[in-house]
Each structure stands twice: as C-alpha cells, then as structure tokens.
Amino acid sequence: MSTQSVFLVGAPGETGKHILNALVDDGSFDVTCFIRTASENKPSTLQLRSRGLKTVPGDLSAPIENLVALLQGVDTVICCMSPMALKDQIPLIDAAVQAGVKRFVPCNFGTPSARGALALRDVMEDIHDHLFRQRLGFTIVDIGFWYQASIPQVPSGRFDEAIFMPVNDVYAGGETPNMLLDARDAGEIAARAVKDQRTLNKRVIAYGEVLSQNEIHEIIEGKTGEKLELNMISDDEARATLKVRKEAFEANPGERSNRFLLAAAQYAITKYVRADNTPENAAYLGYVSARELYPDFKYRRYAEFVDELIAGKIKKPYPEVTVWRPKAKE
Ligand SMILES: NC(=O)c1ccc[n+]([C@@H]2O[C@H](COP(=O)([O-])OP(=O)(O)OC[C@H]3O[C@@H](n4cnc5c(N)ncnc54)[C@H](OP(=O)(O)O)[C@@H]3O)[C@@H](O)[C@H]2O)c1
C-alpha cells in the first residue's frame, strides 16, 4: 500500500486529536503536524513529539514561500484549527496549489446549512469558494453535532464533569431530528475519506444517529432514572433571542462572549427551528453519505455514549473552558 503524506493543522485540538489518532492507527499515512511557532513548547506539542510524531513549526500568516516550502511532497492537507482561525486557511490553500497538494480538507466537521443561518458556516463557505476558485482538489467533511455537545445536565449533577455546554433548553417542542456523531468517530471517518477517490471534490456527511431532543431525554431519563429539568423555548422566543444577541454582537463584535452567545442562538434556529441538520437537507445540498460509502463502519451509539457518561468515562472537551450556560430567554 502506498503511503499518503498528510499535513495536519490543529492536531492537538479537540477534533484534531481524533483525526490524528485515526491516521496513525490506519498505518498508511505519513503525518506531519503543523504547530504554531508560539505553541512549539506547549505541553500538547511536547506530547505529540514524545509519541514520535513529526511536528513542524510555522505560521499561516508567514510569507507564502515559507508555506509552500512546508508543503513540499504533501498529498493531503487536513485543517481542524479552532473556529476563530478559519480564515488562516486562505494563504494555506494558495500555498497548497503552488506546492502541488492533491487534496485539501477544509476545517468543517459541523452541521450543513446554506449561507445566512450560521455566521461560522458563512466563513466556511467563503473558504470553500476560495478552494473552488483555485480548483484545488477538496473533500468537505461534515458530521452534524457532537454527542459530547448534546448532553443536558441531570439534577444530581453526575454529568457535570463531562459537560462544557449543557443543553437543557428545548426548542420546537423537542421534536426536530438532528444528525449527531461521537467526536471520536469523526477521526476515522476523515481518515477513510482522504483515502477514498470517490470523495475527491465531494462533500461528505457522517452521522452516528439522528435523534430529536425528546429522544435524547428519553434515553437519559431511562438510563439515569432522573427527571430532567428542561426549559421549553418557543420558536418566537428563539427568534427574539437571536435578534437581541445579533444586536449585542453588532454593537460590540470584539467581546468574545457576544460571539459565543450569537452562535448559540443561531445554532438553536438552524438545528431545531429550520431543521438544517438532517440527512435530507444534507442530501439536498449535494452531500455524499458516509453511511453509503462505508456501510461496515461501526458508529458509537448515543445510548452507549450515555453509558460511558454514567460510568464517568467521558472527558470534558475543552477542559480549560469554564462551563458555559447559555440563557435562551432574554
Ligand atoms: N460538530 C460539532 O459538534 C463540533 C464541535 C466542536 C468543533 N467543531 C468543529 O471542528 C473544527 C475544529 O474545532 P475544534 O473545536 O476541534 O478546535 P480546537 O480544539 O479549538 O483546536 C484548536 C487547534 O487549532 C490550532 N490553531 C488555533 N489557531 C490556529 C492558527 N491560527 N493556525 C494554526 N493552528 C491554529 C490550535 O493550536 P495551538 O496549540 O497553537 O493553540 C489547536 O491545535 C471547527 O470547524 C469546529 O467548528 C464541531
């Protein structure tokens, strides 16, 4: 089997670590982890090196010749940097074209929607447009919403250690189906997709389950025996919250919490009110389903994930982030 050379941006991140592990476990990739120069001595970088993984320092805002030099001999670039840095993919795309990279996987791994529903998605679509203008080979991978970001708090507090964003607000009567995936499965899907000629110049959608909030609550209440404390939010309330948060963001875009609060309000509308995060919408938008591409893939089930939560085996993503409780009614 020939070795594919992969340049991975964001390897220490929450998505990146699963992609890295899947690429390493696969055994057919030669992986280079791009590390920001400022992060060269961070514990997360030292950990990569202690595993014998190749790291290269650099800066995506460096002159393009530096980036082209880093990408010599690279077949595939995979980006999974933090959402705040998405625009840094533009110079990397330009450099990838010059270096003869065959495939670029932009930083997506989210929910599908048209422009105008989610500011984050709009930036991703700008990046896609740049790829298309350059006619660089691409594979866009979206995965719905993480199981790890779809956990309500339970009254006993037994899930609190695993939750970075509790979801106790219920929208649209809790009935809207949503594609969900265990973040750990995202890595293997990405590794399969970049080895697959069928996914070149395609959008791929992967999901472990399609569940409504009511179905999630039934699973959790059934397994814990606890009655969830939930806040019912009407569509009008969700739209009113979005308006308030949009105004707050426009008045002070530099305030980080304004950006997070706006994103949460936009996700509530796109996921639950508009029902954008569904297999049907993904098919409408032209995605190829990973379920059809890889029928043998064994997805983790949400109920199994809850068993792991109960057993205290799920680690909180973004451990440095203090638990953030969005308030839907404002
Ligand atoms: N579907 C879902 O439910 C879900 C949930 C979460 C995230 N996501 C998506 O997954 C993707 C990755 O997000 P994430 O939360 O996994 O990322 P993250 O954990 O915040 O990853 C941060 C990584 O990006 C690196 N980075 C930050 N700025 C950079 C820059 N300017 N240049 C190069 N590297 C940079 C960081 O490096 P340092 O070590 O230098 O800081 C770190 O390795 C995003 O598209 C996000 O929207 C989806």
Side-chain angles (χ1 to χ4, degrees), residues 169-312:
D169 291 337
V170 181
Y171 296 90
E175 297 286 347
T176 316
N178 266 273
M179 295 184 290
L180 305 175
L181 185 77
D182 192 305
R184 292 169 290 184
D185 286 342
E188 203 181 320
I189 291 290
R192 287 194 182 208
V194 296
K195 277 191 2 180
D196 188 345
Q197 275 306 111
R198 296 173 301 170
T199 64
L200 188 61
N201 302 338
K202 295 280 189 294
R203 295 172 188 251
V204 175
I205 188 75
Y207 54 91
E209 300 229 34
V210 180
L211 292 174
S212 68
Q213 289 189 284
N214 290 343
E215 287 169 324
I216 287 176
H217 301 152
E218 204 179 307
I219 292 169
I220 291 181
E221 288 184 348
K223 284 187 178 282
T224 61
E226 296 194 50
K227 181 89 192 119
L228 291 171
E229 291 164 8
L230 303 166
N231 319 309
M232 303 306 285
I233 313 288
S234 72
D235 292 0
D236 284 346
E237 285 169 324
R239 287 193 194 96
T241 299
L242 175 59
K243 186 168 176 288
V244 169
R245 292 187 182 173
K246 203 160 173 248
E247 285 163 2
F249 174 73
E250 281 163 1
N252 189 357
E255 172 60 47
R256 213 163 169 234
S257 63
N258 283 347
R259 186 181 297 274
F260 284 131
L261 288 169
L262 175 60
Q266 289 179 327
Y267 269 119
I269 300 283
T270 184
K271 285 175 66 185
Y272 305 117
V273 179
R274 287 185 44 82
D276 285 327
N277 184 33
T278 62
E280 294 74 20
N281 189 45
Y284 168 77
L285 292 170
Y287 282 79
V288 184
S289 172
R291 292 192 160 261
E292 285 166 25
L293 292 168
Y294 317 118
D296 63 311
F297 189 89
K298 295 268 177 297
Y299 293 91
R300 289 173 170 88
R301 306 297 309 261
Y302 186 82
E304 294 161 2
F305 172 77
V306 175
D307 289 337
E308 288 185 90
L309 266 177
I310 291 169

Side-chain angles (χ1 to χ4, degrees), residues 9-16 34 36 39 42 44-45 60 80-83 85-86 88 107-111 120 124 143-146 149 267 318:
V9 180
E14 289 297 335
T15 304
F34 173 83
R36 287 192 285 182
S39 305
K42 270 171 94 166
S44 54
T45 309
L60 297 182
C80 42
M81 66 267 277
S82 52
L86 289 180
D88 288 353
C107 185
N108 266 62
F109 307 101
T111 55
L120 180 64
M124 290 173 178
I143 59 167
F145 222 64
W146 288 353
Y267 269 119
Y318 316 104

Side-chain angles (χ1 to χ4, degrees), residues 6 8 18-29 31 78 191 194:
V6 173
L8 181 60
H18 299 303
I19 296 179
L20 177 64
N21 289 341
L23 294 171
V24 171
D25 290 348
D26 181 278
S28 71
F29 296 97
V31 186
I78 304 179
V194 296

